[in-house]
């Protein structure tokens, strides 16, 4: 009995993960790809990946109802246009023998242009629940689960931990010997004793005691008197220098 016999009406899950290295059909902007799946009369279409360029991501799942004797389907990738017809990027055929036999298939399928040239790849993840020999089921036993080892503390180590605290005197920053006492340091210049502090020298120009001037200052001498202005005559006109009356009497 074939491992793929009796698939009529059973379900196949197909997840369109994304595309890689697609042929670029745009000259200026980035292309907007989408993927179509065709199995007999069943057709599915992903959403348009706007500005997906050469590597669009979709992550969309579809479910096919299988037909006995039909073990492949077509995948076509298009570039969506707004004002003109959509651009054909590439297409390919997806074989179902592996997923029907093992229950799982994760493959990047090659795409071709109409002239047969390489147009990129489309990655599909397929699941078939009723496979006879599912992937991962074989005669090789699986590895036992990992169990973290348990470490027991030895009594000797436990008895000595934590270690006893021992107090040590702090090291002195000075040497342990004292320099010899010298009665007269000036007679022994090899010992770098600091000289005694010196008194500041006297200023060569001692300041004179300041005696302020008496206040208020002495009054200024009074201003000198100016000659008085000339006095006007007590009467006008002045007296005539000759005797007689003025004006002279009229003549008759």
């Amino acid at each position: 009995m074939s491992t793929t016999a009796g698939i009529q009406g059973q379900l196949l899950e197909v997840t369109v993960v994304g595309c890689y290295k697609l042929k670029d059909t745009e000259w200026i902007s980035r292309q907007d790809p989408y993927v179509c799946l065709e199995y007999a009369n069943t057709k599915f279409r992903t959403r348009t990946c706007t500005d997906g360029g050469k590597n669009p991501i979709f992550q969309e799942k579809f479910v096919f109802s299988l037909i006995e004797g039909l073990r492949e389907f077509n995948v076509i990738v298009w570039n969506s246009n707004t004002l003109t017809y959509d651009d054909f990027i590439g297409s390919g055929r997806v074989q179902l023998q592996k997923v029907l036999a093992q229950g799982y298939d994760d493959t990047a399928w090659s795409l071709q242009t109409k002239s047969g040239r390489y147009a990129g790849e489309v990655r599909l993840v397929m699941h078939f629940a009723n496979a006879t020999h599912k992937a991962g089921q074989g005669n090789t036993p699986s590895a036992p689960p990992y169990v973290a080892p348990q470490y027991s503390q030895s009594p000797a180590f436990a008895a000595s931990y934590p270690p006893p605290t021992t107090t040590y005197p702090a090291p002195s920053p000075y040497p342990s010997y004292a320099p010899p006492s010298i009665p007269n340091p000036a007679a022994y210049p090899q010992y770098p004793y600091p000289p005694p502090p010196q008194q500041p020298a006297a200023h060569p120009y001692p300041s004179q005691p300041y005696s302020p001037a008496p206040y208020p200052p002495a009054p200024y001498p009074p201003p000198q008197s100016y000659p008085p202005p000339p006095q006007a005559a007590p009467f006008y006109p002045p007296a005539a220098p000759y005797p007689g009356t003025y004006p002279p009497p009229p003549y008759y």
Side-chain angles (χ1 to χ4, degrees), residues 100-154:
L100 296 179
Q102 301 181 4
Y104 177 79
D105 187 5
D106 183 356
T107 306
W109 301 88
S110 179
L111 302 173
Q112 294 181 353
T113 63
K114 294 181 179 179
S115 59
R117 295 184 178 181
Y118 177 79
E121 298 176 357
V122 56
R123 180 185 173 190
L124 304 177
V125 176
M126 297 181 289
H127 290 87
F128 181 56
N130 297 326
T132 305
H133 300 284
K134 293 186 177 181
Q137 294 182 356
N139 297 327
T140 304
S142 59
Y146 174 77
V147 179
Q150 301 292 332
Y151 296 97
S152 61
Q153 191 177 24
S154 60

Side-chain angles (χ1 to χ4, degrees), residues 18-181:
C19 299
Y20 310 99
K21 304 177 183 179
L22 289 181
K23 174 187 174 183
D24 196 353
T25 60
E26 296 287 347
W27 292 96
I28 301 176
S29 61
R30 294 170 61 90
Q31 62 185 1
D32 307 321
Y34 64 92
V35 179
C36 294
L37 306 179
E38 297 180 356
Y39 181 74
N41 295 327
T42 305
K43 297 182 180 181
F44 294 103
R45 180 189 185 278
T46 66
R47 60 177 177 83
T48 300
C49 184
T50 304
D51 293 335
K54 296 182 179 181
N55 303 293
I57 300 298
F58 300 99
Q59 293 289 355
E60 295 187 45
K61 182 187 294 185
F62 305 97
V63 179
F64 290 103
S65 179
L66 294 176
I67 300 175
E68 185 68 33
L70 184 58
R71 294 179 177 84
E72 67 177 17
F73 64 87
N74 297 329
V75 54
I76 306 99
V77 181
W78 298 83
N79 173 39
S80 178
N81 291 323
T82 304
L83 302 178
T84 60
Y85 293 103
D86 294 349
D87 299 322
F88 174 80
I89 297 178
S91 63
R93 291 182 177 272
V94 179
Q95 303 298 325
L96 302 180
Q97 283 79 3
K98 179 179 178 180
V99 64
L100 296 179
Q102 301 181 4
Y104 177 79
D105 187 5
D106 183 356
T107 306
W109 301 88
S110 179
L111 302 173
Q112 294 181 353
T113 63
K114 294 181 179 179
S115 59
R117 295 184 178 181
Y118 177 79
E121 298 176 357
V122 56
R123 180 185 173 190
L124 304 177
V125 176
M126 297 181 289
H127 290 87
F128 181 56
N130 297 326
T132 305
H133 300 284
K134 293 186 177 181
Q137 294 182 356
N139 297 327
T140 304
S142 59
Y146 174 77
V147 179
Q150 301 292 332
Y151 296 97
S152 61
Q153 191 177 24
S154 60
F157 181 77
S160 61
Y161 187 85
T165 57
T166 304
T167 305
Y168 296 96
S172 175
Y174 304 98
S176 59
Y177 60 89
S181 60

